[in-house]
């Protein structure tokens, strides 16, 4: 007697973003969350957390997206950044070879630091700067020196990155935050790849029968029902 | 902030160390628009308040064995030959397993600065006393200390007479600071609290133990003045964030969690973070300091803030972190404190479950010397006090952080706005409302 009008179960998923400066991490998020793009986006300062829902046929995933903000520049991210992350987007700029090296470094770091079951997607961004962006799906070879002249700034072949992703068991996409190409697909693929078992239900109608776990009971909400400004009250 | 190398910027402030105080300073400056470089000689966050997984704990102990510096010494790890230990990253051993009382200013600051959203707090329900078996046939037990009116009424652990005495005392503490009440304890102020309890309240040994335990004083020698204020804090914290608990504990890594969250807030505000970079040498000019970092970089700053690394003259402590769940045992350091803690652990475990005494899977032992209690400010440098050894968050530290903040940000900041920030992102509470 399934109630077809009942809301789909919803779960939150913590997703972290990693990658060299200026590869387009924040732009991918901006495209995904606001369907927007800014030509000269500033290095990320000030905003480093966003949420966005992703509707799957059988459930809703609410992404809690943690953008990096400064601490990654010298590989100084705090453990709290990785903790409980169920998904990671490791981004490189496919016009910039060093950015793939950096991406590989982050993948290794995630495998060392993050939860064992984390879903990692490797994303080559700025596809619009390559000649195959319009959909003429011709995979370019390595090291075309005249790439930019011919309107193709690609420096990292699809093949190279894809092979690496397969070896490491990563999801792999080439995207353009500018045109929006493949951006939603990345997040949907991640949502689908997260094992059902690792999804903790968000509080809500779908979760109300799950029972309150012991840890949930112990948890304290500092902005709870009590008015924290009522300074002189006392329990005694 | 600047995309070039760290040497190209004249920093407004370089903060060295990511212990609690330096991290809170970074948080307090996170909306100031100042150019901040935050470094730490260690390759982990938290300094003396760090939290380690088992692997990190091992390399920490190894390093202490060869480097022998700072506040820590005599560190060792024992792994009893029993199965059951999970993977190293499943554990987080806090070097500073401090409770935070609900009324601590730290919590108000975490809330007003919006940093609290990323920390999970657990409620610390009750305080217990270990009771040795009273006879050969008896078992050791843990007795809960009644510390609210309801508790005192309902407890069966103490006599009716003791109940009246305890009630009278709790009532007294609730306005101990009123003028008339002060006269009662003024003459005892600098003397041990036990004397006051004995002479003024005529408490028996057991009640005195209860009260002294509530003060979390390691040697039991807390003064009347300090003792009354700690118990006042305990009583007024009770129920503040929910029924039945007076203190909180940041899940996952104790105070290190607070330090990490504060540092992230600093980074989000534009500060640059470098771990594994300490100060190798420094040279001061009239209005700037030049630092040579252990990473090889040369940096210039208008102000340097660091922690005072000198050992102070207070007593040292000994700590045993036991993985049975995670248990933290602390006592004053003495020549045999390691044995004392091992025996305490055994007694405690046997009191938890007589029939099936829980097994300890891993032990980390270390001693920690007290730091200097005062901060030092001059034109170009600020030395914050050393880390606190107290079992509960000591709000005095916050005063020093605020002083440092004032010095860094006095030109642009409004004291009334200290640590009061709005959420950077629209807060989405729809999980609760749906
Ligand atoms: C000093 C101290 C006092 C506490 N007092 C109380 C109390 O009064 N009331 C109460 O309800 N709870 C209290 N807790 C918390 C309680 O001990 C833990 O929540 C409990 O041990 C978790 O057990 P678990 O097997 O469910 O572990 P899980 O919740 O499954 O945790 C698994 C792992 O998480 C880490 N972890 C979880 N909790 C902690 C923690 N608190 N500190 C460090 N690492 C942790 C550990 O690595 C642990 O192995 C206290 C904890 C500490 C450290
Ligand atoms: N052509 C093109 N430009 C892009 C794309 N994505 C991002 N950019 C541009 O690349 C620059 C950097 O983008 P960001 O999103 O700020 O990069 P980031 O990785 O978040 O950078 P940091 O926050 O500094 O780490 C901006 O000028 C963007 O406009 C893309 O898909 N195509
Ligand atoms: Mg960015």
């Amino acid at each position: 007697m399934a109630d077809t009008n009942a809301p789909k179960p919803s779960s939150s998923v913590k997703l972290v973003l990693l990658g060299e400066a200026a590869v387009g991490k924040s732009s991918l998020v901006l495209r995904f969350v606001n369907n927007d793009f800014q030509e000269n986006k500033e290095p990320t300062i000030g905003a480093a957390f966003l949420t966005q829902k992703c509707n799957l046929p059988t459930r809703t995933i609410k992404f809690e997206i943690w953008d990096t903000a400064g601490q990654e520049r010298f590989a100084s991210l705090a453990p709290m950044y990785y903790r409980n992350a169920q998904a990671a987007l490791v981004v490189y700029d496919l016009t910039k070879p060093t950015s793939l090296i950096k991406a590989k470094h982050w993948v290794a770091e995630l495998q060392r630091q993050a939860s064992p079951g984390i879903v990692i997607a490797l994303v080559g961004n700025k596809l619009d700067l390559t000649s195959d962006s319009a959909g003429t799906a011709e995979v370019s070879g390595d090291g075309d020196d005249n790439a930019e002249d011919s309107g193709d700034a690609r420096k990292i072949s699809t093949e190279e990155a894809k092979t690496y992703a397969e070896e490491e068991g990563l999801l792999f996409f080439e995207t353009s935050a500018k045109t929006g190409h493949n951006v939603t697909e990345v997040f949907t693929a991640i949502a689908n790849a997260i094992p059902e078992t690792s999804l903790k239900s968000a509080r809500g109608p779908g979760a109300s029968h799950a029972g309150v776990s012991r840890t949930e009971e112990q948890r304290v909400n500092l902005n709870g029902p009590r008015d924290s400004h009522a300074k002189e009250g006392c329990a005694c | 902030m600047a995309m070039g190398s760290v040497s190209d910027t004249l920093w407004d402030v370089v903060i060295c160390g990511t212990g609690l105080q330096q991290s809170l300073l970074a948080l307090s400056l996170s909306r100031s628009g100042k150019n901040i470089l935050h470094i730490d000689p260690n390759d982990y966050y938290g300094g003396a308040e760090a939290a380690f997984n088992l692997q990190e704990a091992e390399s920490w102990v190894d390093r202490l064995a060869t480097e022998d510096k700072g506040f820590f010494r005599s560190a060792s790890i024992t792994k009893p030959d029993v199965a059951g230990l999970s993977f190293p990253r499943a554990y987080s051993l806090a070097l500073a397993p401090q409770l935070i009382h609900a009324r601590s200013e730290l919590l108000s600051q975490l809330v007003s600065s919006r940093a609290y959203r990323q920390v999970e707090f657990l409620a610390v329900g009750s305080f217990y006393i270990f009771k040795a078996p009273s006879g050969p046939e008896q078992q050791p037990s843990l007795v809960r200390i009644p510390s609210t009116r309801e508790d005192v009424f309902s407890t069966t652990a103490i006599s009716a007479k003791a109940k009246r005495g305890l009630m009278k005392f709790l009532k007294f503490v609730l306005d101990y600071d009123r003028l008339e009440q002060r006269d009662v304890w003024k003459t005892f102020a600098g003397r041990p609290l036990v004397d006051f309890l004995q002479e003024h309240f005529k408490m028996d040994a057991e009640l005195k133990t209860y009260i002294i335990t509530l003060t979390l004083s390691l040697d039991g020698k807390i003064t009347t003045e300090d003792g009354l204020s700690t118990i006042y804090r305990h009583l007024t914290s009770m129920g503040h964030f929910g029924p039945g608990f007076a203190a909180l504990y940041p899940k996952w890594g104790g105070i290190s969690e607070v330090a990490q969250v504060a540092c992230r807030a600093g980074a989000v505000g534009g500060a640059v973070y470098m771990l594994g970079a300490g100060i190798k040498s420094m040279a001061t000019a009239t209005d700037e300091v030049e630092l040579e970092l252990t990473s090889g970089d040369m940096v210039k700053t208008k102000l340097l803030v660091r922690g005072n690394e000198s050992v102070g003259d207070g007593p040292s402590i000994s700590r045993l972190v036991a993985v049975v769940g995670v248990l933290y045992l602390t006592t004053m350091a003495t020549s045999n404190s390691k044995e004392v803690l091992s025996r305490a652990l055994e007694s405690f475990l046997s009191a938890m479950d007589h029939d099936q005494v829980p097994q300890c899977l891993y032990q980390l032992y270390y001693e920690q010397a007290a730091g200097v209690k005062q901060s030092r400010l001059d034109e170009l440098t600020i030395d914050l006090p050393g880390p606190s050894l107290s079992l509960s968050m000591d709000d005095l530290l916050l005063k020093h952080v605020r002083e440092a903040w004032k010095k860094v940000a006095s030109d642009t900041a409004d004291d009334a706005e200290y640590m009061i920030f709005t959420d950077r992102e629209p807060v989405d509470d729809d999980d609760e409302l749906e």
Side-chain angles (χ1 to χ4, degrees), chain A residues 214-215 218, chain B residues 90-92 97 99 122-126 249-253 325-326 328:
Chain A
R214 209 175 111 231
T215 20
Q218 297 172 353
Chain B
Y91 302 92
S92 170
L99 303 180
L122 301 176
V124 179
S126 301
Y249 186 75
K251 197 182 175 182
W252 310 112
V326 181
Y328 297 96

Side-chain angles (χ1 to χ4, degrees), chain B residues 20-184:
Chain B
L20 180 66
Q21 301 178 77
Q22 288 99 315
S23 303
L24 288 174
L25 177 64
L27 167 63
S28 71
L29 291 168
S30 63
R31 314 278 174 117
S32 65
K34 299 282 176 193
N35 264 325
I36 301 167
L37 175 65
H38 198 165
I39 59 176
D40 193 310
N42 302 309
D43 57 5
Y44 50 82
Y45 282 90
E49 283 100 13
F52 297 133
N53 66 38
L54 304 187
Q55 223 157 25
E56 292 165 335
E58 258 146 65
S59 35
W60 181 70
V61 168
D62 288 347
R63 243 175 300 132
L64 280 180
T66 55
E67 283 175 33
D68 186 45
K69 62 177 173 66
F71 302 106
F72 297 96
R73 51 173 193 250
S74 309
S76 65
I77 286 171
T78 321
K79 284 179 267 190
D81 196 13
V82 291
L85 206 57
S86 183
F87 59 103
R89 266 191 290 125
Y91 302 92
S92 170
L93 313 182
L95 292 183
Q98 284 186 326
L99 303 180
I100 307 172
H101 275 86
R103 291 280 190 170
S104 167
E105 182 61 25
L106 176 62
L107 296 177
S108 324
Q109 290 184 2
L110 290 177
V111 171
S112 69
S113 67
R114 305 283 123 187
Y116 76 103
R117 294 193 187 282
Q118 287 141 21
V119 194
E120 282 182 50
F121 289 99
L122 301 176
V124 179
S126 301
F127 290 52
Y128 291 80
I129 290 189
F130 173 78
K131 257 196 155 164
S134 47
E137 298 296 291
Q138 303 294 310
Q139 300 284 9
S141 59
L142 296 175
V143 180
R144 200 161 75 94
I145 303 176
S147 58
T148 64
R149 192 200 300 254
E150 296 74 22
D151 268 358
V152 178
F153 275 130
S154 60
T155 184
T156 52
I158 56 175
S159 71
K161 177 158 174 279
K163 277 189 187 185
R164 279 194 300 278
L166 186 53
M167 200 66 109
K168 200 170 133 208
F169 174 72
L170 296 179
K171 243 179 111 183
F172 167 82
V173 175
L174 277 174
D175 55 1
Y176 83 103
D177 215 19
R178 273 217 342 255
L179 219 54
E180 314 89 271
Q181 300 283 64
R182 275 193 209 185
D183 290 337
V184 177

Side-chain angles (χ1 to χ4, degrees), chain B residues 118-304:
Chain B
Q118 287 141 21
V119 194
E120 282 182 50
F121 289 99
L122 301 176
V124 179
S126 301
F127 290 52
Y128 291 80
I129 290 189
F130 173 78
K131 257 196 155 164
S134 47
E137 298 296 291
Q138 303 294 310
Q139 300 284 9
S141 59
L142 296 175
V143 180
R144 200 161 75 94
I145 303 176
S147 58
T148 64
R149 192 200 300 254
E150 296 74 22
D151 268 358
V152 178
F153 275 130
S154 60
T155 184
T156 52
I158 56 175
S159 71
K161 177 158 174 279
K163 277 189 187 185
R164 279 194 300 278
L166 186 53
M167 200 66 109
K168 200 170 133 208
F169 174 72
L170 296 179
K171 243 179 111 183
F172 167 82
V173 175
L174 277 174
D175 55 1
Y176 83 103
D177 215 19
R178 273 217 342 255
L179 219 54
E180 314 89 271
Q181 300 283 64
R182 275 193 209 185
D183 290 337
V184 177
W185 57 269
K186 215 170 51 192
T187 52
F188 287 89
R191 291 175 55 196
L193 176 65
V194 249
D195 292 359
F196 178 60
L197 299 179
Q198 169 78 40
E199 288 169 38
H200 188 80
F201 284 93
K202 310 275 183 274
M203 284 189 187
D204 63 19
E206 189 171 21
L207 267 191
K208 276 186 291 191
T209 310
Y210 282 11
I211 302 296
I212 297 298
T213 304
L214 281 185
T215 67
L216 300 174
S217 153
L218 283 173
D219 57 4
K221 290 180 190 150
I222 192 164
T223 62
T224 302
E225 181 164 24
D226 292 347
L228 290 176
S229 89
T230 337
I231 294 169
Y232 176 82
R233 178 182 68 181
H234 180 89
L235 295 180
T236 51
S237 288
M238 200 71 188
H240 185 58
F241 284 120
F245 63 93
L248 309 183
Y249 186 75
K251 197 182 175 182
W252 310 112
I255 291 290
S256 137
E257 288 294 288
V258 179
Q260 286 179 48
V261 163
C263 287
R264 177 156 165 94
V268 170
V272 170
Y273 278 77
M274 284 172 87
L275 295 181
I279 297 171
K280 195 166 167 195
S281 67
M282 63 184 275
T284 49
T286 40
D287 51 5
E288 64 184 55
V289 187
E290 188 169 18
L291 304 170
E292 184 191 353
L293 304 185
T294 52
S295 59
D297 299 285
M298 300 293 295
V299 299
K300 286 202 185 103
T301 180
K302 297 182 195 160
L303 191 65
L304 168 67

Side-chain angles (χ1 to χ4, degrees), chain A residues 26 38 40-45:
Chain A
S26 306
Q38 289 166 12
N40 286 306
K41 202 163 175 358
E42 310 261 295
T44 300
I45 287 171

